[in-house]
Every structure is written in C-alpha cells, then in structure tokens.
C-alpha cells in the first residue's frame, strides 16, 4: 500500500448485501402527447443486474467526451421587449423559472444578437454614422439599452455564471457592399473598422456588467435573404478573423473571448473545416440544422480537432408539439450532444401573442419557448420542454460520458455533473411504451418509458453510494513481503468461489479464485492503484458486496 507498505487488510464478509447502491434515482418525463411535461416520476433504486428490459443503456463514467458549456436559447431583442412588457413581479417570476439553478430550468447559456436580428422590432446597429471608422459615435442606446440589457442584468442576478454568446446578423449598412440591411458582404475597406466595432461592443457590454463569453463573426453567412443578413465566404471569414478581429480582441485584452466560426447549417462541412484549420484565433465552429445531418459536427471536429457548438434551431407556430418535440429531442438535443456539441441552443426565448416582434421579412412563424400573453400571464411552448429536459439536470461544466444503447427505437446520452451526479437522457421513439434498463457496472435499474417520451434519470455518484465497511470488520496485521487482503470465510458451510474488485465506475480491476477448503485466503492486491473498490465475493449460492479502500 502507498502509505503503510507492510500491512494487510482483513475483510470479513458475513452478510449478503443485495444492492451496492443505496442512492435514489429520480426520473423526469416529458411526453409528446403532453400528458407529462417535465413531470417527476416515482423514484427508482439500483439493484443487482439480473433483470431484462426492451432496451438497455450501459453507462460508463470512465469514458469521457466533451465538457458542456451550457443549454439555452437566443434572447433576441424582440424576446427581451415582450418580457419587458410584463409587470416587474411577473418578469421576476418568469426569469427565475427559466434561469434559477435550483428551482428553475437552469438555463446556462444565452445567444444574443450584436445589433438587430430578424426577431427584432426594427433594423438597427450601434453606429449609423457613415465613415466613422474610429467608432466615435458607437452607442448601445436604443432597443438594446431599453430592453435587452435590463433583462440580461436580471438574468445575471439570478445566475451570475451564465455564458453569453454574441452574434451579428449584419454589419452597419455603410460598411457593406450593397448599403442594405439585406444581403451584401463586408466591404474590405471596413474590415478594420468592423473589428473595432466588435471591440467597442464588448467594451460597452462590460461597462453594463455583462461579460461576453464568445462571439461568432456572422450569423448564417451563406444566407443573404434574411432581414437583416450579410454574406461572408469562408475565405472572407478567415481573412477578417486573422487580420482584424483576432488581433483587435487580443490587443484590447479580450483574447479570452472565444471566436467561433461558421454558425450555419450542417449541410456544409467544407466551410467550417477551412475556417478552423486556417486560423489560430478560432476556437471551433457553430452549427444550425435547417439542412444537412447532425453528424457533420463530428466530421468537422475530427477534421480540425477543434470544438463544435450547436447554436440555433427554431420551432414553428405552424408545427405540432408532438412532431417538434420528437424531432428536436432526437436531432438537436441528443444528436448534437453525441456529436460533440458543447452548447445546445434553441432559437428565440419569447414572443408575443402575434408570434412577434420581427423585422419586415423576418421570421413570422418562429415560436418562442414562452409566449407572453399579456402583462401577467405566459404560456410555455414546446422548446421550453426541449431544453428543459436537459438544462434542468445537466449543468455547465458537466462531462458527457459513455452511454451505449442496445435495443430499438431508443436514443440516449449521459453526463456527469461537476458535483458528481449523473444524468441519463433517453428518448423512446416507439408508438408504445417500453422498458428501459440503465446499467452501471454490476448494478442497474429498470424504468417503463411511455411512447414518444423523453426521460431524464438523475442519481448521485456511484462512489458515494458504495456501502461502508464497519470498523470491526477490518483489522491490520504485519506483512513484510507485499500488499495483501486477507479474506476470512465466516460461514464454513458456504464455500467462496471467487473475489472480484471493481472500480467505482464498474470496471473489473482484479479477479482471483478462492481455493477449496480454505477458511482464510490471502489476495495479492499490489496491482491495484490507490482508490475505492467494490468487492464482490461469489459463493455457491450468493453474491456478497463490501467496500475496500486502498490507500
């Protein structure tokens, strides 16, 4: 052993422990037919893995993938405007419901627009003075200062750790080749001025107490038809980032603000691969899924070794709850998580009863997570539950862990939070209920998941749940040669067959057979690293469990 090298432990096992986990599993369901909406179900418990089910999710906490930055929505200027129309008391109630880490959905990332988006009341920028390349007249005064910034300040008072991603839909018109809000591209003569525009924006938001976590240079750079919008080729984006935006941010002291490229659909891997592989300033690429396959995110990550983010998907006022919930859970939430997405962001947070506001030519069917009915009431829409099914249980800083699915019509992913809790998110796409077994190491639980239902299962870490061994069950004796554990057979009428040591994640670390006719067996544990282990002793008729700590 590490600290005391000339001792061995005696583990005397004389009781049968039917489960190695005492923790409670809490299931939460949302069904496409809306009979269950983020509804907590009866608690479950782990037991020895001896049951069958229609499908199995095998969870392996030792297999680790990306760290999650967060889950949330786009807080458009229009969203902030309609939220601001509510009484202050109702605004507080709503924002706590959305952003509280303890009593709400725990939204952990917000995307906002730099200037107007198509879900703003009007087109605007922060500097309409043509030729003002030094940004002397830059100002947040107007819709952002009136609506967006006050709402953001309230959000930050509820969750000071929320990450804010900022994205422009268009540069000021005077910087563009067509002098229009719609289409055109950034005039090369104004690349330096536009980089200064970004710096001024981050400065101004910081002065308001709002720190920008990340930016993308352009929303949907291959879509010149929205209002507002601006085209930007991959070569143009790389040139702007490398020669202007990246150096300007670094010089201003904002080198830690992430620059995330692309921010468009999954039907084009060439653009984000080119940007990521040709700029040291770029942290990764952002994606939408209005075209293409979500697996493109993995393609880009593998080709660039950089991060990928999912940053926008809308639900339509003309759609159905059942269809949208099913598609988004499978493609946007589970799909982007299992394809390395570090954020999962739906489109607008809120709209009014007319599915507005929006610009002339902007999206007239983009349904927010919340509809503000009047100054005192609001309605929760489908994307509220799409994001809530994961944001409420998986925290910023969580790590996606191994989750292997066997069975049909089931998708799943799993995460371990910074506090050690584990959350498994599964979606049953069958038109009938099915039993689902979640297996971790030697233990499992089984739940019945209704048809077309998302289920999130949350429980404490395995290591905290392994039962402690009573002090009188352990004794230490001299051992001059090596590290051993002495196994003493307390019941001479029952023969022990084998002893297995498992890590807290369920991996087999050591297995030894017990010779016949031995009442005491020395087990060589020199190969075990210092850690906590679950010991399983197999006899003719029983399995016994206890905990062993190697120091």
């Amino acid at each position: 052993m590490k600290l005391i090298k000339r001792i061995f432990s005696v583990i005397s096992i004389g009781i049968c422990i039917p489960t190695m986990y005492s923790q409670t599993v809490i299931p939460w369901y949302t069904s496409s037919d809306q009979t269950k909406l983020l509804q907590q179900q009866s608690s479950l418990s782990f037991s020895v893995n001896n049951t069958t089910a229609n499908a199995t999710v095998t969870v392996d906490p030792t297999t680790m993938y990306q760290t999650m930055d967060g889950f949330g929505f786009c807080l458009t200027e229009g969203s902030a405007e309609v939220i601001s129309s509510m009484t202050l008391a109702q605004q507080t109630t709503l924002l706590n419901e959305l952003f509280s880490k303890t009593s709400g959905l725990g939204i952990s990332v917000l995307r906002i627009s730099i200037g107007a988006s198509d879900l703003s009341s009007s087109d605007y920028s922060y500097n309409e003075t043509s030729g003002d390349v030094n940004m002397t007249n830059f100002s947040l005064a107007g819709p952002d200062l009136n609506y967006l910034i006050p709402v953001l300040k309230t959000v930050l008072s509820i969750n000071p750790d929320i990450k804010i991603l900022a994205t422009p839909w268009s540069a000021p018109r005077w910087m563009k080749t067509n002098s229009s809000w719609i289409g055109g591209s950034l005039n090369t003569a104004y690349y330096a001025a536009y980089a200064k525009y970004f710096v001024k924006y981050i400065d101004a938001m910081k002065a308001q107490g709002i720190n920008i976590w990340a930016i993308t240079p352009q929303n949907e750079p291959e879509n010149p038809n929205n209002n507002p919008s601006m085209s930007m080729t991959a070569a143009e984006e790389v040139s702007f980032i490398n020669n202007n935006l990246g150096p300007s941010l670094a010089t201003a002291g904002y080198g830690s603000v992430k620059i995330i490229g692309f921010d468009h659909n999954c039907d084009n891997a060439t653009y984000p691969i080119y940007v990521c592989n040709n700029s040291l300033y770029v942290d990764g690429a952002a994606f939408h899924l209005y075209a293409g396959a979500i697996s493109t995110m993995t393609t880009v990550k593998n080709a660039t070794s950089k991060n990928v983010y999912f940053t926008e998907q809308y639900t339509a006022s003309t759609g159905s709850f059942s269809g949208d919930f099913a598609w988004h859970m499978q493609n946007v939430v589970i799909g982007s998580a299992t394809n390395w997405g570090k954020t999962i962001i739906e489109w607008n947070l809120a709209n009014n009863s007319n599915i507005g506001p929006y610009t002339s030519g902007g999206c007239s069917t983009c349904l927010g997570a919340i509809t503000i009915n009047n100054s005192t009431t609001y309605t929760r829409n489908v994307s509220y539950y799409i994001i809530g099914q994961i944001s409420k249980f998986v925290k910023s800083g969580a790590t996606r862990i191994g989750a292997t699915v066997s069975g049909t019509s089931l998708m799943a992913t799993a995460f371990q939070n910074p506090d050690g809790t584990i959350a498994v998110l599964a979606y049953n796409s069958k038109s009938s209920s099915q039993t689902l077994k979640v297996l971790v190491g030697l233990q499992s639980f089984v739940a019945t998941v209704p048809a077309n239902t998302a289920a999130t299962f949350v429980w404490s870490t395995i290591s905290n749940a392994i039962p402690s061994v009573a002090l009188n069950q352990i004794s230490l004796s001299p051992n001059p040669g090596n590290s051993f554990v002495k196994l003493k057979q307390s019941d001479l009428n029952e023969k022990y067959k084998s002893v297995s040591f498992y890590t807290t994640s369920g991996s087999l670390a050591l297995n030894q057979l017990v010779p016949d006719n031995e009442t005491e067996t020395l087990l060589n544990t020199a190969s075990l690293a210092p850690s906590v282990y679950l010991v399983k002793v197999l006899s003719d008729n029983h399995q016994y469990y206890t905990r062993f700590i190697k120091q």
Side-chain angles (χ1 to χ4, degrees):
M1 294 186 180
K2 184 175 180 181
L3 298 180
I4 306 174
K5 295 185 177 179
R6 294 194 171 191
I7 60 174
F8 59 79
S9 301
V10 179
I11 302 181
S12 178
I13 306 177
I15 57 172
C16 179
I17 304 175
T19 64
M20 70 175 176
Y21 305 143
S22 59
Q23 75 270 39
T24 299
V25 179
I26 306 297
W28 295 76
Y29 289 176
T30 297
S31 297
S32 292
D33 64 5
Q34 302 182 66
T35 56
K36 297 177 178 62
L37 295 171
L38 264 180
Q39 185 183 96
Q40 184 174 338
Q41 307 299 299
S42 299
S43 61
L44 303 168
S45 296
F46 279 96
S47 62
V48 176
N49 179 35
N50 55 11
T51 55
T52 59
N54 300 128
T56 298
V57 178
T58 302
V59 178
D60 179 9
T62 65
T63 300
M64 293 176 283
Y65 301 98
Q66 75 272 26
T67 300
M68 306 304 297
D69 285 313
F71 312 91
F73 297 92
C74 300
L75 179 62
T76 61
E77 180 277 323
S79 294
E81 188 173 331
V82 298
I83 290 171
S84 299
S85 71
M86 304 185 79
T87 65
L88 287 176
Q90 282 303 106
Q91 286 183 53
T92 300
T93 298
L94 171 61
L95 294 177
N96 271 287
E97 178 181 333
L98 293 170
F99 295 97
S100 173
K101 295 180 183 180
T102 54
S103 60
L105 292 190
I107 292 171
S108 47
V109 65
L110 280 175
R111 183 173 179 240
I112 61 176
S113 62
I114 300 175
S117 74
D118 60 308
L119 294 188
S120 297
S121 296
S122 61
D123 295 299
Y124 63 92
S125 77
Y126 307 122
N127 191 347
E128 287 296 292
T129 304
S130 179
D132 182 15
V133 295
N134 292 319
M135 296 295 119
T136 304
N137 295 298
F138 183 98
S139 175
L140 295 176
D144 279 18
L145 202 57
N146 293 337
Y147 302 115
L148 179 68
I149 288 171
V151 171
L152 276 176
K153 287 181 175 179
T154 303
V155 169
L156 285 164
S157 71
I158 298 167
N159 179 6
D161 300 320
I162 197 160
K163 291 181 169 69
I164 298 174
L165 166 66
T167 300
W169 266 238
S170 173
R173 288 171 293 179
W174 57 270
M175 294 186 187
K176 298 174 66 176
T177 55
N178 65 351
S179 300
S180 170
W181 290 119
I182 302 173
S185 59
L186 184 63
N187 190 324
T188 55
Y190 293 119
Y191 272 32
Y194 196 38
K196 186 169 288 187
Y197 182 87
F198 274 85
V199 171
K200 284 282 190 178
Y201 171 76
I202 297 172
D203 279 340
M205 293 296 276
K206 184 178 181 180
Q208 294 291 332
I210 300 166
N211 293 316
I212 300 302
W213 163 70
I215 57 173
T216 65
Q218 176 59 42
N219 173 68
E220 298 190 345
E222 297 182 301
N223 176 12
N225 303 310
N226 203 356
N227 181 21
S229 60
M230 186 172 78
S231 295
M232 185 176 282
T233 67
E236 289 170 340
E237 185 160 286
V238 167
S239 176
F240 175 57
I241 293 171
N242 287 353
N243 299 317
N244 306 102
L245 182 60
S248 294
L249 291 180
T251 300
Y254 296 125
S256 62
V257 175
K258 296 179 186 297
I259 299 175
I260 302 171
F262 191 47
D263 213 1
H264 208 168
N265 285 329
C266 287
D267 62 341
N268 187 348
T270 304
Y271 188 128
I273 289 172
Y274 180 84
V275 171
C276 287
N277 284 342
N278 286 279
S279 178
L280 295 176
Y281 291 105
V282 172
D283 173 85
F287 294 87
H288 309 173
L289 193 56
Y290 302 115
I294 197 67
S295 59
T296 299
M297 293 173 66
T298 293
T299 300
V300 172
K301 179 171 180 61
N302 289 343
T304 65
S305 298
K306 291 194 174 181
N307 294 315
V308 289
Y309 303 82
F310 193 89
T311 53
E312 184 189 313
Q313 196 71 24
Y314 93 120
T315 54
S317 58
T318 55
S320 68
F321 187 105
S322 59
D324 286 338
F325 184 74
W327 190 88
H328 282 246
M329 287 306 305
Q330 293 173 89
N331 292 279
V332 174
V333 180
I334 297 175
S336 57
T338 54
N339 281 280
W340 296 94
K342 288 175 65 64
T343 59
I344 299 173
I345 303 173
E346 288 273 314
W347 186 206
N348 54 318
L349 181 62
N351 55 256
N352 60 26
S353 56
N354 295 317
I355 319 298
Y358 48 86
T359 61
S360 175
C363 182
S364 60
T365 60
C366 287
L367 183 66
I370 298 291
T371 294
I372 307 300
N373 302 314
N374 49 52
S375 64
T376 57
T377 66
Y378 54 88
T379 301
R380 301 168 189 85
N381 299 319
V382 61
S383 62
Y384 173 99
Y385 299 101
I386 291 167
I387 290 297
Q389 194 68 39
I390 190 167
S391 65
K392 190 174 179 68
F393 314 106
V394 181
K395 308 304 180 183
S396 180
T399 301
R400 181 169 71 90
I401 57 176
T404 305
V405 178
S406 61
T408 59
S409 304
L410 187 94
M411 294 181 69
T413 187
F415 306 86
Q416 186 156 30
N417 285 310
D419 66 359
T421 55
I422 290 177
V424 172
L425 171 61
Y427 186 79
N428 174 22
S429 60
K430 289 184 69 172
S431 57
S432 58
S433 64
Q434 63 173 323
T435 52
L436 168 63
K437 176 166 65 175
V438 176
L439 172 65
V440 189
L442 301 172
Q443 301 288 282
S444 65
F445 64 84
V446 174
T448 299
V449 181
N452 302 307
T453 293
T456 305
F457 304 96
V458 185
W459 68 89
S460 62
T461 53
I462 298 169
S463 58
N464 290 338
I466 296 176
S468 298
V469 180
L471 291 178
N472 61 5
Q473 291 179 287
I474 298 178
S475 64
L476 303 174
S477 302
N479 174 34
N482 209 326
S483 297
F484 290 91
V485 172
K486 180 180 286 186
L487 175 66
K488 185 174 183 179
Q489 187 157 324
S490 58
D491 185 353
L492 298 180
N493 295 318
E494 184 173 26
K495 295 185 181 299
Y496 293 164
K497 309 295 287 185
S498 65
V499 182
S500 302
F501 291 76
Y502 292 87
T503 65
T504 55
S505 63
S507 299
L508 179 64
L510 178 66
N511 183 72
Q512 293 191 26
L513 298 177
V514 177
D516 291 338
N517 303 317
E518 279 195 4
T519 58
E520 291 186 353
T521 302
L522 286 181
L523 306 172
N524 189 335
T525 58
S527 63
L528 296 179
S531 187
V532 179
Y533 296 89
L534 179 82
V535 181
K536 180 177 90 169
V537 179
L538 184 65
S539 75
D540 290 327
N541 302 309
H542 297 98
Q543 297 179 76
Y544 299 95
Y545 296 91
T546 192
R547 184 172 66 171
F548 169 63
I549 303 174
K550 182 169 182 180
Q551 297 180 315

